[in-house]
Amino acid sequence: MKIFHLSAECYPVAKVGGLADVVGALPKYQNLAGLQAAVVMPYYDRKFTQENEFDVVFTAVTLLNTRRLYFEILKEKTDKLGFELFLVRIPGLLDRENVYSYPDEREQFIAFQLAFLDWISYSQQTPDIIHCHDHHSGLVPFLLYHSKLYKRLANVPTVFTIHNGQYHGAFGWEHFQYLPEIDPASTGLLDWAGGINPLAAAVKCSWLYTTVSPTYLRELTINSNGLEYLFYIERAKGYGIINGIDTEVWNPLKDPMIPSHFNTKTLAKGKQLNKETLCTRFGLDASKPLFTFIGRLVIEKGADLLPEAIDRTLAQYGDEVNFFILGSGDKDMELALLELKAKYPGRCNVFIGYDESLAHVVYAGADFLMMPSRVEPCGLNQLYSLRYGTMPLVRSTGGLIDSVIDFGDEGGYGIRFNQVSVDDICHAINRAAALYQNQPQLQILRKRMMALDFSWDRSAKEYINLYESLNPLI
């Protein structure tokens, strides 16, 4: 079964968020299960492309309205990621360093999709499944079935995965001319709220769509930035599959990014050694409970509430707790956290930015991970923290509901709270601080966390079952 995954991100080629982690792992595990899965993504001038070798396997010209765009399809030579990796390079358009935020981003991703379709069409390939991820590839299902240019591929099943339904990639009808000739009767499939909406088009046109957790599938009908009714009427072809994690990359027994390896048998000593390394580097006290946050400092993640929650907690507990924040985003949030660092030296530290190696050390060394998210389609941070025996403190939403059971409930191992509020965050921290004083119970819960199976083996099999349901002959 030949599968093409289309995505704007893929770890370790280019990563901005969890999308990259999923696309960098799912195809590998599908290949291990016997499929032939490949990833197609835009070319970025980054460390991975600079340090690895590629073959040019196809060249052609695609049209963006009247603009002729020469493009190349590059294939990584060694399949070192566990799958075939193809990059679409368009000089002057898809050959830049960053993934997002260019003024012509709309043109970039439309051109990416057109180049992909031209490539598989002109080269006479017929994949068994085309799996599109988020709005950056959301026009592909529509174009496959409603453009005369790609009619040869009109029977290829498409699957569309929504990693974050808040972002649609919408643009005005004045840019309709960027698309190739299509059936005029089908233009309504592109429309939502008076504009062209790639995410909405993909939900309408794909054979089925998935979300990255079962709860998020339900939540899209009540919170999807204007697409709530669409998700309600299309709910019959929606499936929720919680993401997995790459247990080869995230393995505390072998992780090359952490100073001290450990498993469930050496858990207490191993975590403490990692904690001491982390605390020594950032001037914190390794004998005290360490609370952390890793991620984007944005309202969606509830990061706007962290400064007040941390301030209140440190005022309450004095020097009995530590906080460490790793992330970047909203400048006001960054400033507020840096002010706390200055206000509470030795008790609160902040690293503005993102460092993959440091993140691994934080997961390995911290005691608790805070995730007060307003929206969390799946969340991967809580899965990483569980793998390393770090208890997640999460707000009950999306995939956090599906992956974290409160330790007060049967079989539980984490802490959940219901409201996006400083009061609820502080209450969760208080529960965690009290639990920290009961080290025997905490060690039992840590071992329970580490024994959980959130691997891609399980999730990849669910995707394979969906593929087979679309085309039982393959």
Side-chain angles (χ1 to χ4, degrees):
M1 186 187 299
K2 176 67 175 180
I3 315 297
F4 278 123
H5 289 270
L6 272 66
S7 174
E9 302 178 36
C10 174
Y11 177 82
V13 187
K15 174 179 175 177
V16 175
L19 169 62
D21 292 308
V22 174
V23 178
L26 175 57
K28 178 171 70 174
Y29 282 83
Q30 290 179 332
N31 285 340
L32 291 173
L35 274 65
Q36 186 183 354
V39 169
V40 185
M41 65 183 297
Y43 178 95
Y44 302 105
D45 186 16
R46 299 168 77 94
K47 181 179 179 181
F48 185 91
T49 53
Q50 294 165 3
E51 295 182 351
N52 291 278
E53 295 185 358
F54 297 82
D55 290 320
V56 177
V57 297
F58 186 82
T59 62
V61 172
T62 193
L63 290 176
L64 194 68
N65 193 12
T66 59
R67 184 179 174 187
R68 292 172 58 84
L69 298 174
Y70 168 83
F71 72 88
E72 299 175 332
I73 304 296
L74 286 72
K75 181 185 180 298
E76 192 271 315
K77 284 187 174 183
T78 64
D79 298 342
K80 66 187 299 181
L81 301 183
F83 50 82
E84 292 182 321
L85 173 68
F86 297 95
L87 306 180
V88 179
R89 180 164 64 188
I90 302 176
L93 196 63
L94 296 180
D95 59 356
R96 304 168 184 171
E97 179 181 0
N98 296 323
V99 179
Y100 306 121
S101 300
Y102 290 103
D104 57 354
E105 181 177 293
R106 172 181 55 245
E107 288 79 5
Q108 286 182 296
F109 289 118
I110 293 176
F112 163 62
Q113 294 170 84
L114 295 178
F116 164 74
L117 290 172
D118 287 349
W119 167 45
I120 62 170
S121 179
Y122 298 160
S123 58
Q124 296 297 302
Q125 299 183 67
T126 306
D128 295 302
I129 300 285
I130 295 177
H131 191 148
C132 303
H133 295 265
D134 272 350
H135 70 81
H136 321 99
S137 56
L139 295 173
V140 166
F142 172 82
L143 292 171
L144 273 178
Y145 310 134
H146 301 286
S147 172
K148 295 178 181 178
L149 193 61
Y150 308 116
K151 61 182 179 181
R152 186 185 69 80
L153 300 164
N155 292 322
V156 176
T158 52
V159 174
F160 181 64
T161 294
I162 301 159
H163 298 261
N164 192 328
Q166 297 295 309
Y167 303 103
H168 305 169
F171 53 91
W173 278 100
E174 66 272 17
H175 302 293
F176 177 69
Q177 68 270 19
Y178 287 154
L179 305 182
E181 182 182 359
I182 63 172
D183 177 2
S186 66
T187 55
L189 293 168
L190 291 169
D191 184 82
W192 195 264
I196 296 175
N197 189 311
L199 190 140
V203 171
K204 296 175 189 177
C205 297
S206 60
W207 287 33
L208 58 82
Y209 68 90
T210 71
T211 63
V212 289
S213 70
T215 296
Y216 190 58
L217 177 67
R218 298 189 294 271
E219 289 181 347
L220 285 173
T221 64
I222 56 175
N223 183 13
S224 51
N225 199 16
L227 295 184
E228 293 80 8
Y229 181 64
L230 174 65
F231 283 111
Y232 176 77
I233 61 177
E234 295 282 3
R235 65 191 183 280
K237 66 175 184 180
Y239 296 83
I241 300 176
I242 196 163
N243 285 336
I245 62 173
D246 190 332
T247 52
E248 295 180 16
V249 174
W250 299 94
N251 183 353
L253 191 58
K254 299 179 179 179
D255 189 341
M257 299 185 191
I258 65 175
S260 299
H261 296 146
F262 61 95
N263 58 18
T264 53
K265 294 181 180 179
T266 58
L267 169 61
K269 180 179 179 181
K271 277 196 73 67
Q272 184 61 29
L273 289 172
N274 285 293
K275 184 179 181 181
E276 289 172 0
T277 298
L278 180 64
C279 289
T280 297
R281 177 178 172 182
F282 291 98
L284 302 172
D285 187 345
S287 68
K288 311 298 183 184
L290 177 58
F291 294 85
T292 63
F293 173 92
I294 300 175
R296 291 180 294 127
L297 301 176
V298 293
I299 288 177
E300 179 182 88
K301 298 294 185 181
D304 56 309
L305 304 178
L306 287 176
E308 184 179 347
I310 293 172
D311 193 23
R312 187 186 298 183
T313 302
L314 289 173
Q316 175 184 351
Y317 284 94
D319 61 357
E320 293 303 309
V321 296
N322 294 318
F323 285 92
F324 179 74
I325 309 298
L326 169 59
S328 62
D330 182 272
K331 298 305 177 185
D332 290 337
M333 297 181 202
E334 291 180 0
L335 179 61
L337 289 168
L338 290 171
E339 288 175 347
L340 285 177
K341 174 182 175 179
K343 182 178 180 180
Y344 297 105
R347 289 184 282 170
C348 178
N349 211 328
V350 179
F351 184 101
I352 299 299
Y354 185 74
D355 182 313
E356 186 75 18
S357 296
L358 177 57
H360 282 243
V361 177
V362 174
Y363 287 120
D367 298 301
F368 304 100
L369 176 80
M370 301 178 292
M371 295 184 68
S373 305
R374 287 182 170 84
V375 179
E376 197 64 71
C378 175
L380 291 172
N381 290 9
Q382 82 278 13
L383 304 184
Y384 300 147
S385 73
L386 291 169
R387 179 78 166 149
Y388 287 74
T390 295
M391 179 173 285
L393 279 62
V394 305
R395 189 228 161 190
S396 297
T397 186
L400 301 178
I401 292 176
D402 297 322
S403 58
V404 178
I405 301 173
D406 192 275
F407 80 90
D409 297 330
E410 183 177 356
Y413 43 82
I415 293 177
R416 285 198 356 214
F417 53 94
N418 294 326
Q419 303 301 319
V420 185
S421 69
V422 172
D423 286 344
D424 269 34
I425 296 171
C426 288
H427 180 64
I429 292 172
N430 288 341
R431 291 182 66 201
L435 176 62
Y436 186 83
Q437 301 308 313
N438 186 345
Q439 283 293 312
Q441 183 185 10
L442 181 59
Q443 296 305 321
I444 291 172
L445 294 174
R446 283 176 170 171
K447 290 181 179 180
R448 185 179 297 172
M449 298 175 215
M450 293 181 67
L452 297 169
D453 179 14
F454 285 107
S455 71
W456 269 114
D457 293 307
R458 171 185 50 79
S459 300
K461 180 59 178 175
E462 292 190 54
Y463 279 107
I464 293 170
N465 290 340
L466 285 183
Y467 297 161
E468 291 176 343
S469 73
L470 294 178
N471 195 341
L473 300 178
I474 55 179

